[in-house]
Amino acid sequence: MIPVDGRKSGVLLHITSLPSPWGVGDMGSQSYRFIDLLKECNQSVWQILPLNPTEEIYGFSPYSSISAFAGNVMLISPMAMVEEGFLTEGDLPPSFNGLTANFRDAINIRQDLSYKGYCKFTPDDGFRRFCEENSWWLEDYALYKALKSHYKLPWYEWPDELKSRQPQAIEMARKKFANEIMAEKFAQYIFYRQWDRLHLYAKSKGISVFGDMPLYLAHDSADVWANREMFCLDERGMPTHVAGVPPDYFSVTGQYWGNPLYNWDVMEKHGFEWWIRRLAHAFRLYDMVRIDHFRGLVAYWAIPSQESTAVNGRWVKGPANKLFNAIINRLGNVPIVAEDLGQITQDVRQLMDAFHIPGMRVILFGLDNPKQNLHAPFYYTENCVAYTGTQDNNTALGWFLEEASSAAVKNLKLFLGRKTEANCVSRDMVRLVELSVAKLVIIPFQDILGLGPEARMNRPASKDGNWQWRMHEDMMRAPVLKWFKGITMFADRG
């Protein structure tokens, strides 16, 4: 069930979209200001995208990470490092900003500042405790990062003795790169220190953080390297089959993600320990967790790795009930939300019903043909999370201007009881979702502001220009926010 009392409303905005002086939003003062804004607008939930490290080779996508457990150093606030005494103001580079995220400069700046802080740092009890409590993932991740920096190659192109993790070679590498390993641990310490403080502040304001967990990991990731037997790899460490989805609403050739698939037989033999730890770690970070591409746990689209598109994949059964029984036996009834968009079959619905896992409803998907369409507002249930759109959709205004069919516009008129126009369609969509029976609704910040296609976060199946939208600081003072607070209160959401 939705882990909130009463009817609640929240906002979707990733941290990178916040204002900041160094290329992308971070965990600095503007994050705290945004939490204050949520409180002022009578909101109860802040939904964000994954916090895992991102890489340029994957377009800085938060859904293709090099670690399931590490934090994204790009999100570290340089100013907070000064305030905490790890840096001085003289260590900070000249500030710069921009209309879109500058990932390359942002990560370089924070990596440089993190290393400066490390060079001045004397390990204390807090650091030693962090390293000890997280050693089960941190040791492999820090070594992976040190080796990756040294060889400037993905792990599957490293020397054979390191690629296959021969114990003697690993031990020698830990000694050789001891300083670099400690610097990586320090960067993670700073990330988690800042995140824990921000999360605690959100809780103090009555704001729950709704996190996101990608189903898959990048091939070149610390977890795949450290757990090769748990992924579908050949003897060279290369994927035999990769993840994606068949042709759908977003792409006629499907989506070829390229992530290695899990070897679920091996995972089951280990009692799904890796997945249980992954979820337990997620609930250390967040109050609720959305599992992206949830249907892949019931059945997943397996694409032969030599293919160039997703068309010639096939469905393969996933762990389904076995996995969730193991999770509940260890963690209890944790607050999971399923990303159940796209081609969802009855067996996925049965799993969700069996474990009372709520799904998502997106009004943009419910307008072309509302009959027997779960995304049409009159089919919503209390146990769902309702959205105007997600990070993968156009904004409501962008949809209206660029994508809406004549049938969808006609149906929207029937839902509203009147005709809508570009200058009010975003508010109309927000109103429909807020007034729905769904116990929890989440509105992208762009839709609250009524922004157009220029504010879209992601175009699935497109590799360039994604995740880059950023807000201006004055957007947190937009007059429409008063209206948004009013419609939230009218809908009896607190």
Side-chain angles (χ1 to χ4, degrees):
M1 297 291 289
I2 303 292
V4 293
D5 296 324
R7 288 165 57 81
K8 302 294 182 182
S9 178
V11 174
L12 169 61
L13 181 83
H14 194 39
I15 295 173
T16 58
S17 294
L18 289 165
S20 86
W22 293 286
V24 299
D26 56 37
M27 296 181 288
S29 61
Q30 294 293 350
S31 290
Y32 290 83
R33 173 69 189 97
F34 188 70
I35 290 170
D36 291 340
L37 178 65
L38 293 176
K39 181 69 174 178
E40 293 166 13
C41 290
N42 228 53
Q43 303 303 296
S44 303
V45 178
W46 181 12
Q47 183 171 355
I48 59 175
L49 304 185
L51 295 177
N52 311 95
T54 56
E55 293 274 292
E56 184 171 5
I57 192 172
Y58 301 116
F60 294 103
S61 169
Y63 293 90
S64 192
S65 181
I66 60 170
S67 174
F69 305 101
N72 192 343
V73 173
M74 190 191 298
L75 302 179
I76 288 175
S77 165
M79 189 56 69
M81 288 189 70
V82 172
E83 293 166 356
E84 293 176 338
F86 295 108
L87 298 172
T88 66
E89 289 200 27
D91 292 319
L92 300 181
S95 63
F96 67 96
N97 217 322
L99 298 177
T100 59
N102 185 335
F103 296 119
R104 189 178 295 111
D105 288 347
I107 188 63
N108 288 339
I109 285 170
R110 285 156 176 85
Q111 286 176 336
D112 179 60
L113 292 177
S114 173
Y115 191 74
K116 282 184 179 180
Y118 164 70
C119 291
K120 298 179 179 184
F121 178 65
T122 300
D124 54 18
D125 288 343
F127 176 71
R128 284 187 285 269
R129 184 166 55 251
F130 170 79
C131 292
E132 182 179 346
E133 291 175 353
N134 295 279
S135 61
W136 54 275
W137 65 266
L138 185 58
E139 292 294 338
D140 284 325
Y141 177 73
L143 176 58
Y144 163 85
K145 284 285 287 181
L147 290 171
K148 188 174 170 66
S149 177
H150 175 74
Y151 289 107
K152 303 189 186 312
L153 292 168
W155 67 263
Y156 44 85
E157 294 181 16
W158 294 347
D160 287 343
E161 64 273 15
L162 291 171
K163 181 168 67 173
S164 60
R165 294 178 58 87
Q166 294 177 16
Q168 186 176 0
I170 292 294
E171 186 59 31
M172 289 178 63
R174 290 194 192 281
K175 293 177 180 177
K176 180 178 179 180
F177 298 105
N179 187 61
E180 291 84 350
I181 289 169
M182 285 294 286
E184 292 294 343
K185 291 180 179 180
F186 175 76
Q188 288 301 305
Y189 173 60
I190 295 299
F191 172 89
Y192 277 97
R193 183 185 174 99
Q194 290 191 7
W195 174 254
D196 288 345
R197 189 174 68 169
L198 183 65
H199 189 192
L200 188 62
Y201 184 77
K203 286 184 177 180
S204 75
K205 296 292 183 176
I207 306 297
S208 297
V209 178
F210 187 3
D212 209 353
M213 176 188 288
L215 183 62
Y216 296 115
L217 292 159
H219 180 203
D220 183 18
S221 65
D223 304 274
V224 177
W225 172 61
N227 303 280
R228 282 178 58 170
E229 73 283 2
M230 294 189 181
F231 295 85
C232 294
L233 307 176
D234 62 21
E235 65 280 357
R236 299 172 299 127
M238 303 305 291
T240 57
H241 290 76
V242 297
V245 292
D248 60 8
Y249 170 87
F250 292 111
S251 173
V252 294
T253 58
Q255 296 177 45
Y256 183 102
W257 297 334
N259 310 78
L261 298 170
Y262 295 108
N263 187 331
W264 287 113
D265 289 338
V266 172
M267 289 241 175
E268 184 178 356
K269 288 179 182 177
H270 290 275
F272 300 108
E273 182 66 23
W274 185 87
W275 261 93
I276 291 168
R277 283 191 162 194
R278 188 183 186 193
L279 273 169
H281 184 74
F283 287 109
R284 174 202 182 286
L285 292 171
Y286 316 118
D287 303 299
M288 300 186 294
V289 173
R290 187 192 85 135
I291 299 181
D292 189 58
H293 193 53
F294 181 87
R295 72 150 294 102
L297 296 174
V298 179
Y300 51 90
W301 192 245
I303 309 164
S305 56
Q306 69 272 17
E307 295 287 335
S308 58
T309 74
V311 172
N312 293 322
R314 64 185 180 92
W315 289 111
V316 179
K317 287 186 177 181
N321 295 62
K322 292 179 181 179
L323 173 62
F324 281 93
N325 281 324
I327 290 169
I328 289 174
N329 285 340
R330 287 279 295 279
L331 304 181
N333 290 309
V334 287
I336 291 170
V337 173
E339 186 274 291
D340 58 341
L341 307 177
Q343 186 178 347
I344 302 301
T345 50
Q346 188 58 34
D347 52 355
V348 179
R349 298 289 176 211
Q350 289 171 350
L351 176 71
M352 293 170 62
D353 290 344
F355 292 94
H356 307 291
I357 299 172
M360 299 170 61
R361 302 291 180 266
V362 180
I363 196 169
L364 291 182
F365 295 153
L367 297 173
D368 275 305
N369 182 16
K371 292 182 179 180
Q372 303 301 312
N373 185 335
L374 294 176
H375 296 285
F378 47 67
Y379 285 120
Y380 291 0
T381 65
E382 284 193 2
N383 193 39
C384 75
V385 185
Y387 297 77
T388 50
T390 74
Q391 72 278 357
D392 290 333
N393 296 107
N394 209 333
T395 64
L397 176 57
W399 168 85
F400 187 76
L401 295 175
E402 298 182 341
E403 301 173 13
S405 66
S406 58
V409 172
K410 179 181 178 181
N411 290 329
L412 181 56
K413 179 181 178 181
L414 291 172
F415 277 119
L416 295 171
R418 58 171 173 76
K419 185 179 179 181
T420 190
E421 301 290 348
N423 64 349
C424 59
V425 67
S426 297
R427 290 195 191 192
D428 287 340
M429 293 279 203
V430 170
R431 183 185 295 108
L432 283 174
V433 174
E434 289 282 347
L435 296 178
S436 74
V437 72
K439 197 173 181 182
L440 174 61
V441 302
I442 301 288
I443 311 297
F445 197 58
Q446 296 95 312
D447 285 346
I448 299 169
L449 299 177
L451 302 180
E454 75 284 351
R456 183 171 184 167
M457 275 296 273
N458 182 44
R459 290 171 175 81
S462 173
K463 294 182 179 179
D464 300 319
N466 292 321
W467 318 111
Q468 294 183 357
W469 180 77
R470 297 185 68 196
M471 62 186 287
H472 303 290
E473 189 172 351
D474 58 6
M475 289 179 177
M476 285 198 261
R477 297 184 292 270
V480 72
L481 294 170
K482 184 177 180 180
W483 172 86
F484 181 57
K485 177 180 180 179
I487 194 63
T488 299
M489 296 179 69
F490 178 72
D492 195 24
R493 298 185 184 277

